[in-house]
Structure formats: structure tokens, C-alpha cells
Amino acid sequence: MKYRNFITKVLCFMLVFAAFVPYQAKASRKAEEEAENAAEIAEVEAANREVRRQMADAEKTSPYADGVYEGTAEGFGGPVSVEVTIDGGDITEIRLLDVSGEDPAYLMQVESLLDRMLQTQGVDVDTISGATFTSKGLINAVTEALRKALK
Amino acid sequence: MDQQNEQVKKPVPASVKRRTANRNRAMVRAAVQVLFFVTMPGAFVAGFNGIKYIFRTMGAGSVLEINSFAMVLIGLGGFTVLFGRFFCGYVCSFGALGDLVYWLSGIFQKKILKKRKQLSLPKQALPVLQKLKYLNLAFIVLMTAAGLMDSLQGTSPWDVFSRFTALKLPTADYLPGIICLILILIGMAVQSRFFCQFLCPLGAFFTVLPIMPFAVLHRDAPNCLKGCSACKNTCPVGLKLETDGIRNGECISCGKCTGVCPKNNLQYPADVVFKNEIIYALFRAAVFFALGVWLGLCRFL
């Protein structure tokens, strides 16, 4: 019949989508278990950070001077610049200043990088797969800002 | 003096009208290709990143999320289901590059080498070679799922091309990719849409999408001139338009066949609404431009 080609392809796609459902269920369960583990680890890390912060406050051993610092590095399509805020010796905020050379689709992917750098209080974070150059640009820009913040 | 007033304007022959209309169609298509080349050169990379994202995630056993990569894939796929492979024929910067290289190669061969017909691969070879892109897609997909893509860093000709469109030179670690790109450019000079037909993994994905029947070119076969093969001779992807029917997934919706048919037998169903090819093409271009801006593909907006 006339639409045989179309209907065959539609049926194939429905089969493929049907296969996604059990996969998602299994992956969700695995993600839940990992999240429970990660919550425990985060609690321990938070306690460690608190101890370190108290030690640093007592001895003022944070390497960074309080203030607002700008850093620039090469991204995928041009320079990217960020603004890093140091307060009480800790990195409290990281803002994007100029990312006009990056495609918005990649920027949305790397937003989590900023959160991770705040959580770990540093730049030792993994790049985002598929957005390597944008990720590296952001990490290097923050590194440059932190370099300026060194006492 | 009265003789001048009595002069009647000679009617323009249908063949001249057709050729003018075809040239207008070709110029509009070239203009749209330039527009998307300048504003969204990375569209196919973003779309293919969506496919890689799905398989990378499934290879790692993680939950699939509708992130920006997945959205681009859904957007491109949805657009193709509704409008056919207009993306391939009008938007994709790599396809536009292929068209440009083949066109320049033709001019070079005819004007400087004085060849009568432009060099191209034998037509019988095309259906076989067109299957190669499925192997390419399968290879990349398996490597991505296995998490081995990092070992192929620097080999992708697309990454090299993306560097150029970002107005940057590729660095030395891109050497395998540069060589690949040069080989592809050579291929583009000897066969129309060389990359699209034989290598493009995103194109391989598009060929299996169920394109809506109202978006597919129709041919009024009973009305054809006997022995005419104008449409299949002009098709850049070697479709045997008489026997394949244009439901063949290889059709890139470039519209060249519609422009060359002496009986105007090739039409989109949408032409009932849009009256002619050019307006329908501009409509689809506008829809895709809005979609591309929304998906974050346009660097300027």
C-alpha cells in the first residue's frame, strides 16, 4: 500500500522507544542508590570542610585574599571570562562575565561545572563530555582568577 | 510611428520561464545555505552530540535526561519528520560546503580542463557506497557507548571544520582530523554530496526517520515525457526517481528535480498552500531558524 514505508518506520521507532522504558527504570534505581551513597559522602565532606574552616579561621591559612577577581581563558570560540568572589577565605561565588564565543547549547551543559567548583572549593573538576573546550575554558578562567586572589 | 505602437510583445517560451524559475530557486537555496553557514555552522555537530549523549549515557548506565544535547536531537529529528531532510538540503554547513566544492570543481573542470562532463563516481556504485554511512554511525555509536571516544580525540574532521567556522586554526593534535577533512574535500570535488551520501552519521539517522507523507516529494509519473530523465540526471544523491519514489530516505529535499522537470511533475503536497517552491523553502528556512535560535544553535542570538 501507499504508506507502507512510512508505517514500517513508525512501528520501528515505537519499538525503539518502548525499549527505553525498562532502561530508564533500571538506571533510575541505580541512580537512587548512588545518590544515597553520595549523600553520606557529602555529609562527611561537609564535616571535614567545617573542621578545616575552623582551623583556617584560627590560623588564617586560606591561600586566597578576600575580594572579587576576574579571570579570562581561551574557550571554544573565543575568550571566556569569569568573576570569582572570595569571602572569609572561601570561594563563595563564580559568575560568567563574557561567554559570547560559546554556543548556548554547550553553556547549558557546563552550568554544573560552576556548582562543582564551588562544592570542591577548587578547579580539580572533570570536564563535561561533549563540551571539552568550553569546560576547559571555564576551568582555566577560574584558575586565572584564583591565581590573582593568592595572597 | 504607428508601427511602434502596434508591436506586440513576444510571449516568453515555457522553457525559458522554467530555466529562469530554476535559476531563482537555485539562488534562493544558495542564499539560505550561506545564511545558515554564517549563523549556525555547528548545527550538525550539536545534533550528532545528541546521539552521542544518548549512547554515552546508556553505556554508563546513567539516567537519560532531556538536556540541551538531547533537545537539539529531538528538535532536528522532529523538524525532519515534519519537513523532510530540509536540514540536509538547505541548512547543514557541511552539506553546503560539499555543494560549493562540487560546484567549483565543475567550473574548474569545464572552464580550465575543458572537460565536457564533470567527473563523478559511476551511478551504479552509489546505492552500495550509500550504505557506508550506517557503518560509520554504528562504529561511532559503539565507541561512544563503550566510553572509548576519548581515544579518538583529534580524529574527527567535524572538529577540525568546527574550529575553522569558529575562525580558529586547528592545533597539531588534530592532524588525523585534518587529513580526514582533506580527503573528504577531495571526495567532495569528484562526487556531489560525497560526505552526505557515504559518511554522514547524522544523515544515516535521518534516512530511517518516518517522514510525514505530506512532506515528501510526489511525482506525477503518468504525465512524464517518454525517455526524459532530467530529474534523475540532476539529483545530487543519485535517486532513480522513476523507480525509487521519493519516499527514499536518501532524498535531501534540495528541490533540484522540481526545478528541472519540463512538465512540472514534481511537487510537494505543501505547494497547494504555498504556491511555489521558493516560498515553501523560505517558510521552512524561517521555521528552522526560529527552532535553531530556541535550541541555542545560533552564536549571535
Side-chain angles (χ1 to χ4, degrees):
Chain A
M1 58 179 159
K2 193 168 140 192
Y3 297 116
R4 192 183 71 171
N5 186 296
F6 174 72
I7 291 181
T8 316
K9 286 182 176 175
V10 169
L11 286 176
C12 285
F13 258 83
M14 280 162 50
L15 279 175
V16 166
F17 278 125
F20 275 120
V21 174
Y23 170 80
Q24 277 289 79
K26 180 156 170 267
S28 295
R29 261 176 285 138
K30 180 177 151 201
E32 268 172 36
E33 288 172 18
E34 284 184 0
E36 283 171 21
N37 282 350
E40 287 177 24
I41 295 175
E43 272 182 51
V44 173
E45 274 189 359
N48 284 351
R49 259 204 309 281
E50 196 44 43
V51 169
R52 259 185 281 136
R53 178 199 300 255
Q54 286 171 7
M55 285 168 59
D57 281 347
E59 305 171 20
K60 297 205 191 301
T61 54
S62 164
Y64 304 123
D66 283 2
V68 177
Y69 305 92
E70 248 187 64
T72 308
E74 196 61 23
F76 178 72
V80 296
S81 35
V82 298
E83 186 186 79
V84 176
T85 308
I86 309 287
D87 186 23
D90 291 330
I91 307 173
T92 53
E93 195 185 348
I94 304 176
R95 251 178 7 113
L96 298 178
L97 284 182
D98 180 16
V99 284
S100 53
E102 309 306 295
D103 283 341
Y106 294 92
L107 280 178
M108 286 186 244
Q109 289 300 96
V110 303
E111 271 165 6
S112 57
L113 257 189
L114 302 180
D115 291 330
R116 245 176 303 127
M117 286 195 270
L118 280 176
Q119 272 176 9
T120 57
Q121 288 291 302
V123 292
D124 190 16
V125 294
D126 294 328
T127 55
I128 307 281
S129 296
T132 311
F133 294 101
T134 304
S135 303
K136 282 192 178 157
L138 276 182
I139 292 171
N140 291 339
V142 172
T143 308
E144 160 87 356
L146 290 176
R147 196 186 48 79
K148 291 182 185 172
L150 287 173
K151 283 182 195 158
Chain B
M1 339 122 240
D2 290 314
Q3 273 179 344
Q4 286 168 347
N5 292 340
E6 283 168 14
Q7 249 176 4
V8 176
K9 252 178 87 174
K10 262 167 56 173
V12 179
S15 61
V16 173
K17 268 195 201 154
R18 177 169 49 84
R19 251 174 298 169
T20 315
N22 193 25
R23 205 173 325 130
N24 292 341
R25 181 207 57 78
M27 288 202 300
V28 165
R29 176 160 167 259
V32 170
Q33 284 180 304
V34 166
L35 168 77
F36 284 113
F37 193 99
V38 167
T39 57
M40 305 184 190
F44 66 83
V45 175
F48 192 57
N49 273 341
I51 295 183
K52 287 202 283 188
Y53 163 72
I54 291 177
F55 285 94
R56 188 169 52 234
T57 309
M58 290 182 79
S62 308
V63 175
L64 288 165
E65 291 164 7
I66 310 280
N67 61 8
S68 64
F69 287 150
M71 275 308 296
V72 173
L73 181 65
I74 293 171
L76 288 189
F79 180 88
T80 301
V81 165
L82 291 177
F83 294 107
R85 288 177 65 186
F86 179 81
F87 175 82
C88 301
Y90 279 74
V91 175
C92 177
S93 50
F94 226 56
L97 178 69
D99 284 341
L100 176 69
V101 169
Y102 190 64
W103 177 66
L104 290 175
S105 162
I107 293 180
F108 177 78
Q109 288 174 41
K110 293 202 178 133
K111 292 269 155 60
I112 303 189
L113 302 180
K114 304 284 191 225
K115 287 173 76 79
R116 221 164 21 100
K117 202 163 169 267
Q118 182 173 2
L119 190 68
S120 99
L121 298 178
K123 278 245 162 153
Q124 307 93 292
L126 295 186
V128 175
L129 292 173
Q130 284 170 355
K131 304 288 184 282
L132 284 177
K133 55 180 181 283
Y134 300 103
L135 289 177
N136 194 19
L137 176 64
F139 172 69
I140 295 176
V141 147
L142 287 171
M143 289 292 279
T144 307
L148 294 172
M149 270 318 266
D150 284 338
S151 63
L152 293 179
Q153 181 76 350
T155 60
S156 165
W158 277 358
D159 283 345
V160 177
F161 180 67
S162 294
R163 295 277 300 189
F164 281 120
T165 56
L167 301 176
K168 296 202 140 6
L169 289 177
T171 53
D173 37 324
Y174 279 105
L175 191 58
I178 296 172
I179 296 176
C180 266
L181 183 61
I182 292 176
L183 291 174
I184 289 173
L185 288 170
I186 295 174
M188 285 174 171
V190 301
Q191 172 62 42
S192 60
R193 293 280 174 150
F194 177 85
F195 180 83
C196 308
Q197 293 188 66
F198 308 145
L199 295 173
C200 183
L202 191 60
F205 168 69
F206 285 147
T207 58
V208 300
L209 286 181
I211 295 174
M212 289 284 152
F214 59 73
V216 157
L217 270 172
H218 289 286
R219 187 171 146 261
D220 186 4
N223 200 26
C224 287
L225 295 170
K226 227 173 164 197
C228 168
S229 34
C231 56
K232 79 170 182 182
N233 285 342
T234 203
C235 178
V237 293
L239 291 179
K240 297 193 283 291
L241 291 164
E242 309 126 26
T243 55
D244 283 357
I246 311 138
R247 278 182 283 283
N248 188 312
E250 291 289 331
C251 172
I252 56 170
S253 210
C254 69
K256 282 187 179 176
C257 54
T258 65
V260 88
C261 177
K263 304 287 294 283
N264 218 16
N265 282 346
L266 287 147
Q267 304 266 355
Y268 287 104
D271 285 344
V272 179
V273 172
F274 290 98
K275 292 293 183 279
N276 73 44
E277 298 302 325
I278 293 180
I279 298 187
Y280 185 44
L282 290 173
F283 170 75
R284 288 180 288 171
V287 171
F288 190 89
F289 192 82
L291 175 70
V293 169
W294 181 62
L295 290 172
L297 298 174
C298 180
R299 197 164 293 166
F300 307 121
L301 295 174

PDB file of all heavy atoms in Angstrom, chain B residues 198-224:
ATOM      1  N   PHE B 198      27.859   9.159   1.749  1.00  0.00           N
ATOM      2  CA  PHE B 198      28.660   7.972   2.098  1.00  0.00           C
ATOM      3  C   PHE B 198      29.122   7.936   3.549  1.00  0.00           C
ATOM      4  O   PHE B 198      29.474   6.881   4.054  1.00  0.00           O
ATOM      5  CB  PHE B 198      29.903   7.894   1.209  1.00  0.00           C
ATOM      6  CG  PHE B 198      29.591   7.989  -0.265  1.00  0.00           C
ATOM      7  CD1 PHE B 198      30.457   8.641  -1.125  1.00  0.00           C
ATOM      8  CD2 PHE B 198      28.439   7.446  -0.787  1.00  0.00           C
ATOM      9  CE1 PHE B 198      30.187   8.742  -2.474  1.00  0.00           C
ATOM     10  CE2 PHE B 198      28.145   7.551  -2.139  1.00  0.00           C
ATOM     11  CZ  PHE B 198      29.026   8.196  -2.980  1.00  0.00           C
ATOM     12  N   LEU B 199      29.210   9.093   4.214  1.00  0.00           N
ATOM     13  CA  LEU B 199      29.865   9.112   5.516  1.00  0.00           C
ATOM     14  C   LEU B 199      29.029   9.697   6.654  1.00  0.00           C
ATOM     15  O   LEU B 199      29.290   9.382   7.797  1.00  0.00           O
ATOM     16  CB  LEU B 199      31.187   9.910   5.434  1.00  0.00           C
ATOM     17  CG  LEU B 199      32.263   9.307   4.539  1.00  0.00           C
ATOM     18  CD1 LEU B 199      33.441  10.271   4.393  1.00  0.00           C
ATOM     19  CD2 LEU B 199      32.741   7.985   5.113  1.00  0.00           C
ATOM     20  N   CYS B 200      28.055  10.549   6.361  1.00  0.00           N
ATOM     21  CA  CYS B 200      27.438  11.318   7.435  1.00  0.00           C
ATOM     22  C   CYS B 200      26.622  10.443   8.384  1.00  0.00           C
ATOM     23  O   CYS B 200      25.595   9.878   7.979  1.00  0.00           O
ATOM     24  CB  CYS B 200      26.537  12.405   6.861  1.00  0.00           C
ATOM     25  SG  CYS B 200      25.819  13.451   8.132  1.00  0.00           S
ATOM     26  N   PRO B 201      27.028  10.347   9.650  1.00  0.00           N
ATOM     27  CA  PRO B 201      26.275   9.505  10.584  1.00  0.00           C
ATOM     28  C   PRO B 201      24.932  10.129  10.960  1.00  0.00           C
ATOM     29  O   PRO B 201      23.963   9.409  11.207  1.00  0.00           O
ATOM     30  CB  PRO B 201      27.204   9.407  11.806  1.00  0.00           C
ATOM     31  CG  PRO B 201      28.153  10.535  11.689  1.00  0.00           C
ATOM     32  CD  PRO B 201      28.243  10.923  10.266  1.00  0.00           C
ATOM     33  N   LEU B 202      24.857  11.460  10.987  1.00  0.00           N
ATOM     34  CA  LEU B 202      23.581  12.117  11.281  1.00  0.00           C
ATOM     35  C   LEU B 202      22.612  11.898  10.129  1.00  0.00           C
ATOM     36  O   LEU B 202      21.422  11.677  10.321  1.00  0.00           O
ATOM     37  CB  LEU B 202      23.798  13.616  11.527  1.00  0.00           C
ATOM     38  CG  LEU B 202      22.607  14.383  12.099  1.00  0.00           C
ATOM     39  CD1 LEU B 202      22.175  13.824  13.436  1.00  0.00           C
ATOM     40  CD2 LEU B 202      22.929  15.869  12.233  1.00  0.00           C
ATOM     41  N   GLY B 203      23.154  11.932   8.903  1.00  0.00           N
ATOM     42  CA  GLY B 203      22.343  11.641   7.723  1.00  0.00           C
ATOM     43  C   GLY B 203      21.810  10.215   7.765  1.00  0.00           C
ATOM     44  O   GLY B 203      20.673   9.956   7.376  1.00  0.00           O
ATOM     45  N   ALA B 204      22.646   9.283   8.248  1.00  0.00           N
ATOM     46  CA  ALA B 204      22.204   7.900   8.367  1.00  0.00           C
ATOM     47  C   ALA B 204      21.002   7.814   9.310  1.00  0.00           C
ATOM     48  O   ALA B 204      20.033   7.104   9.050  1.00  0.00           O
ATOM     49  CB  ALA B 204      23.346   7.025   8.898  1.00  0.00           C
ATOM     50  N   PHE B 205      21.068   8.581  10.403  1.00  0.00           N
ATOM     51  CA  PHE B 205      19.936   8.635  11.331  1.00  0.00           C
ATOM     52  C   PHE B 205      18.699   9.198  10.643  1.00  0.00           C
ATOM     53  O   PHE B 205      17.587   8.684  10.796  1.00  0.00           O
ATOM     54  CB  PHE B 205      20.337   9.483  12.545  1.00  0.00           C
ATOM     55  CG  PHE B 205      19.197   9.873  13.440  1.00  0.00           C
ATOM     56  CD1 PHE B 205      18.534   8.930  14.193  1.00  0.00           C
ATOM     57  CD2 PHE B 205      18.789  11.201  13.543  1.00  0.00           C
ATOM     58  CE1 PHE B 205      17.475   9.292  15.018  1.00  0.00           C
ATOM     59  CE2 PHE B 205      17.745  11.563  14.359  1.00  0.00           C
ATOM     60  CZ  PHE B 205      17.080  10.614  15.104  1.00  0.00           C
ATOM     61  N   PHE B 206      18.880  10.283   9.851  1.00  0.00           N
ATOM     62  CA  PHE B 206      17.732  10.904   9.189  1.00  0.00           C
ATOM     63  C   PHE B 206      17.065   9.979   8.186  1.00  0.00           C
ATOM     64  O   PHE B 206      15.851  10.044   7.979  1.00  0.00           O
ATOM     65  CB  PHE B 206      18.157  12.189   8.473  1.00  0.00           C
ATOM     66  CG  PHE B 206      18.403  13.358   9.395  1.00  0.00           C
ATOM     67  CD1 PHE B 206      19.368  14.298   9.090  1.00  0.00           C
ATOM     68  CD2 PHE B 206      17.663  13.513  10.550  1.00  0.00           C
ATOM     69  CE1 PHE B 206      19.602  15.379   9.926  1.00  0.00           C
ATOM     70  CE2 PHE B 206      17.882  14.602  11.396  1.00  0.00           C
ATOM     71  CZ  PHE B 206      18.862  15.540  11.075  1.00  0.00           C
ATOM     72  N   THR B 207      17.857   9.095   7.522  1.00  0.00           N
ATOM     73  CA  THR B 207      17.244   8.252   6.484  1.00  0.00           C
ATOM     74  C   THR B 207      16.239   7.279   7.077  1.00  0.00           C
ATOM     75  O   THR B 207      15.359   6.807   6.371  1.00  0.00           O
ATOM     76  CB  THR B 207      18.283   7.421   5.701  1.00  0.00           C
ATOM     77  OG1 THR B 207      18.995   6.602   6.620  1.00  0.00           O
ATOM     78  CG2 THR B 207      19.248   8.278   4.927  1.00  0.00           C
ATOM     79  N   VAL B 208      16.360   6.943   8.371  1.00  0.00           N
ATOM     80  CA  VAL B 208      15.431   5.969   8.940  1.00  0.00           C
ATOM     81  C   VAL B 208      14.259   6.632   9.648  1.00  0.00           C
ATOM     82  O   VAL B 208      13.384   5.947  10.164  1.00  0.00           O
ATOM     83  CB  VAL B 208      16.144   4.993   9.910  1.00  0.00           C
ATOM     84  CG1 VAL B 208      17.231   4.243   9.184  1.00  0.00           C
ATOM     85  CG2 VAL B 208      16.703   5.714  11.105  1.00  0.00           C
ATOM     86  N   LEU B 209      14.249   7.964   9.696  1.00  0.00           N
ATOM     87  CA  LEU B 209      13.117   8.639  10.325  1.00  0.00           C
ATOM     88  C   LEU B 209      11.872   8.520   9.454  1.00  0.00           C
ATOM     89  O   LEU B 209      11.950   8.596   8.236  1.00  0.00           O
ATOM     90  CB  LEU B 209      13.429  10.126  10.533  1.00  0.00           C
ATOM     91  CG  LEU B 209      14.402  10.497  11.641  1.00  0.00           C
ATOM     92  CD1 LEU B 209      14.560  12.003  11.697  1.00  0.00           C
ATOM     93  CD2 LEU B 209      13.918   9.981  12.982  1.00  0.00           C
ATOM     94  N   PRO B 210      10.696   8.343  10.092  1.00  0.00           N
ATOM     95  CA  PRO B 210       9.455   8.284   9.300  1.00  0.00           C
ATOM     96  C   PRO B 210       8.997   9.689   8.922  1.00  0.00           C
ATOM     97  O   PRO B 210       8.394  10.393   9.720  1.00  0.00           O
ATOM     98  CB  PRO B 210       8.462   7.628  10.267  1.00  0.00           C
ATOM     99  CG  PRO B 210       8.973   7.938  11.639  1.00  0.00           C
ATOM    100  CD  PRO B 210      10.456   8.127  11.525  1.00  0.00           C
ATOM    101  N   ILE B 211       9.325  10.115   7.721  1.00  0.00           N
ATOM    102  CA  ILE B 211       8.964  11.462   7.278  1.00  0.00           C
ATOM    103  C   ILE B 211       7.494  11.476   6.885  1.00  0.00           C
ATOM    104  O   ILE B 211       7.021  10.597   6.172  1.00  0.00           O
ATOM    105  CB  ILE B 211       9.878  11.890   6.111  1.00  0.00           C
ATOM    106  CG1 ILE B 211      11.313  11.988   6.626  1.00  0.00           C
ATOM    107  CG2 ILE B 211       9.426  13.218   5.527  1.00  0.00           C
ATOM    108  CD1 ILE B 211      12.322  12.247   5.567  1.00  0.00           C
ATOM    109  N   MET B 212       6.778  12.476   7.371  1.00  0.00           N
ATOM    110  CA  MET B 212       5.344  12.591   7.121  1.00  0.00           C
ATOM    111  C   MET B 212       5.054  12.575   5.617  1.00  0.00           C
ATOM    112  O   MET B 212       5.721  13.267   4.845  1.00  0.00           O
ATOM    113  CB  MET B 212       4.818  13.905   7.694  1.00  0.00           C
ATOM    114  CG  MET B 212       4.784  13.932   9.195  1.00  0.00           C
ATOM    115  SD  MET B 212       3.398  12.962   9.778  1.00  0.00           S
ATOM    116  CE  MET B 212       4.011  12.449  11.337  1.00  0.00           C
ATOM    117  N   PRO B 213       4.055  11.841   5.201  1.00  0.00           N
ATOM    118  CA  PRO B 213       3.752  11.771   3.763  1.00  0.00           C
ATOM    119  C   PRO B 213       3.521  13.140   3.129  1.00  0.00           C
ATOM    120  O   PRO B 213       3.827  13.338   1.962  1.00  0.00           O
ATOM    121  CB  PRO B 213       2.478  10.912   3.720  1.00  0.00           C
ATOM    122  CG  PRO B 213       2.590  10.050   4.924  1.00  0.00           C
ATOM    123  CD  PRO B 213       3.248  10.900   5.975  1.00  0.00           C
ATOM    124  N   PHE B 214       3.015  14.124   3.924  1.00  0.00           N
ATOM    125  CA  PHE B 214       2.760  15.427   3.297  1.00  0.00           C
ATOM    126  C   PHE B 214       4.044  16.207   3.054  1.00  0.00           C
ATOM    127  O   PHE B 214       4.038  17.243   2.411  1.00  0.00           O
ATOM    128  CB  PHE B 214       1.776  16.269   4.131  1.00  0.00           C
ATOM    129  CG  PHE B 214       2.236  16.561   5.546  1.00  0.00           C
ATOM    130  CD1 PHE B 214       3.266  17.474   5.796  1.00  0.00           C
ATOM    131  CD2 PHE B 214       1.628  15.942   6.620  1.00  0.00           C
ATOM    132  CE1 PHE B 214       3.675  17.750   7.087  1.00  0.00           C
ATOM    133  CE2 PHE B 214       2.031  16.212   7.925  1.00  0.00           C
ATOM    134  CZ  PHE B 214       3.059  17.120   8.154  1.00  0.00           C
ATOM    135  N   ALA B 215       5.182  15.706   3.582  1.00  0.00           N
ATOM    136  CA  ALA B 215       6.438  16.428   3.400  1.00  0.00           C
ATOM    137  C   ALA B 215       7.287  15.828   2.292  1.00  0.00           C
ATOM    138  O   ALA B 215       8.399  16.279   2.050  1.00  0.00           O
ATOM    139  CB  ALA B 215       7.223  16.417   4.705  1.00  0.00           C
ATOM    140  N   VAL B 216       6.776  14.812   1.627  1.00  0.00           N
ATOM    141  CA  VAL B 216       7.560  14.056   0.666  1.00  0.00           C
ATOM    142  C   VAL B 216       7.230  14.522  -0.758  1.00  0.00           C
ATOM    143  O   VAL B 216       6.081  14.791  -1.080  1.00  0.00           O
ATOM    144  CB  VAL B 216       7.249  12.553   0.863  1.00  0.00           C
ATOM    145  CG1 VAL B 216       7.540  11.767  -0.370  1.00  0.00           C
ATOM    146  CG2 VAL B 216       8.013  12.011   2.049  1.00  0.00           C
ATOM    147  N   LEU B 217       8.278  14.597  -1.610  1.00  0.00           N
ATOM    148  CA  LEU B 217       8.072  14.983  -2.997  1.00  0.00           C
ATOM    149  C   LEU B 217       7.248  13.946  -3.734  1.00  0.00           C
ATOM    150  O   LEU B 217       7.459  12.752  -3.574  1.00  0.00           O
ATOM    151  CB  LEU B 217       9.415  15.112  -3.709  1.00  0.00           C
ATOM    152  CG  LEU B 217      10.088  16.480  -3.672  1.00  0.00           C
ATOM    153  CD1 LEU B 217      11.478  16.358  -4.250  1.00  0.00           C
ATOM    154  CD2 LEU B 217       9.278  17.489  -4.452  1.00  0.00           C
ATOM    155  N   HIS B 218       6.298  14.400  -4.536  1.00  0.00           N
ATOM    156  CA  HIS B 218       5.479  13.483  -5.339  1.00  0.00           C
ATOM    157  C   HIS B 218       5.731  13.708  -6.819  1.00  0.00           C
ATOM    158  O   HIS B 218       5.932  14.833  -7.260  1.00  0.00           O
ATOM    159  CB  HIS B 218       3.993  13.715  -5.044  1.00  0.00           C
ATOM    160  CG  HIS B 218       3.611  13.238  -3.689  1.00  0.00           C
ATOM    161  ND1 HIS B 218       3.485  11.904  -3.386  1.00  0.00           N
ATOM    162  CD2 HIS B 218       3.361  13.916  -2.547  1.00  0.00           C
ATOM    163  CE1 HIS B 218       3.146  11.778  -2.113  1.00  0.00           C
ATOM    164  NE2 HIS B 218       3.067  12.982  -1.594  1.00  0.00           N
ATOM    165  N   ARG B 219       5.720  12.620  -7.552  1.00  0.00           N
ATOM    166  CA  ARG B 219       5.950  12.699  -8.983  1.00  0.00           C
ATOM    167  C   ARG B 219       4.708  12.225  -9.708  1.00  0.00           C
ATOM    168  O   ARG B 219       4.183  11.158  -9.444  1.00  0.00           O
ATOM    169  CB  ARG B 219       7.144  11.821  -9.344  1.00  0.00           C
ATOM    170  CG  ARG B 219       7.565  11.954 -10.785  1.00  0.00           C
ATOM    171  CD  ARG B 219       8.875  11.220 -11.015  1.00  0.00           C
ATOM    172  NE  ARG B 219       8.867  10.655 -12.345  1.00  0.00           N
ATOM    173  CZ  ARG B 219       8.579   9.392 -12.619  1.00  0.00           C
ATOM    174  NH1 ARG B 219       8.340   8.538 -11.668  1.00  0.00           N
ATOM    175  NH2 ARG B 219       8.566   8.983 -13.870  1.00  0.00           N
ATOM    176  N   ASP B 220       4.228  13.050 -10.644  1.00  0.00           N
ATOM    177  CA  ASP B 220       3.050  12.695 -11.434  1.00  0.00           C
ATOM    178  C   ASP B 220       3.511  11.862 -12.623  1.00  0.00           C
ATOM    179  O   ASP B 220       3.581  12.351 -13.754  1.00  0.00           O
ATOM    180  CB  ASP B 220       2.368  13.990 -11.887  1.00  0.00           C
ATOM    181  CG  ASP B 220       1.051  13.726 -12.588  1.00  0.00           C
ATOM    182  OD1 ASP B 220       0.641  12.545 -12.654  1.00  0.00           O
ATOM    183  OD2 ASP B 220       0.444  14.693 -13.073  1.00  0.00           O
ATOM    184  N   ALA B 221       3.870  10.590 -12.350  1.00  0.00           N
ATOM    185  CA  ALA B 221       4.530   9.752 -13.354  1.00  0.00           C
ATOM    186  C   ALA B 221       3.783   9.609 -14.670  1.00  0.00           C
ATOM    187  O   ALA B 221       4.404   9.665 -15.736  1.00  0.00           O
ATOM    188  CB  ALA B 221       4.829   8.374 -12.751  1.00  0.00           C
ATOM    189  N   PRO B 222       2.460   9.425 -14.683  1.00  0.00           N
ATOM    190  CA  PRO B 222       1.768   9.259 -15.972  1.00  0.00           C
ATOM    191  C   PRO B 222       1.949  10.465 -16.895  1.00  0.00           C
ATOM    192  O   PRO B 222       1.867  10.352 -18.101  1.00  0.00           O
ATOM    193  CB  PRO B 222       0.292   9.128 -15.576  1.00  0.00           C
ATOM    194  CG  PRO B 222       0.330   8.654 -14.175  1.00  0.00           C
ATOM    195  CD  PRO B 222       1.552   9.256 -13.555  1.00  0.00           C
ATOM    196  N   ASN B 223       2.276  11.633 -16.315  1.00  0.00           N
ATOM    197  CA  ASN B 223       2.373  12.846 -17.112  1.00  0.00           C
ATOM    198  C   ASN B 223       3.766  13.041 -17.713  1.00  0.00           C
ATOM    199  O   ASN B 223       4.004  14.004 -18.433  1.00  0.00           O
ATOM    200  CB  ASN B 223       2.014  14.049 -16.202  1.00  0.00           C
ATOM    201  CG  ASN B 223       1.620  15.270 -16.980  1.00  0.00           C
ATOM    202  OD1 ASN B 223       1.151  15.157 -18.106  1.00  0.00           O
ATOM    203  ND2 ASN B 223       1.813  16.443 -16.394  1.00  0.00           N
ATOM    204  N   CYS B 224       4.716  12.135 -17.399  1.00  0.00           N
ATOM    205  CA  CYS B 224       6.093  12.345 -17.833  1.00  0.00           C
ATOM    206  C   CYS B 224       6.285  12.158 -19.329  1.00  0.00           C
ATOM    207  O   CYS B 224       5.564  11.386 -19.968  1.00  0.00           O
ATOM    208  CB  CYS B 224       7.027  11.371 -17.103  1.00  0.00           C
ATOM    209  SG  CYS B 224       7.270  11.796 -15.386  1.00  0.00           S
TER     210      CYS B 224
END
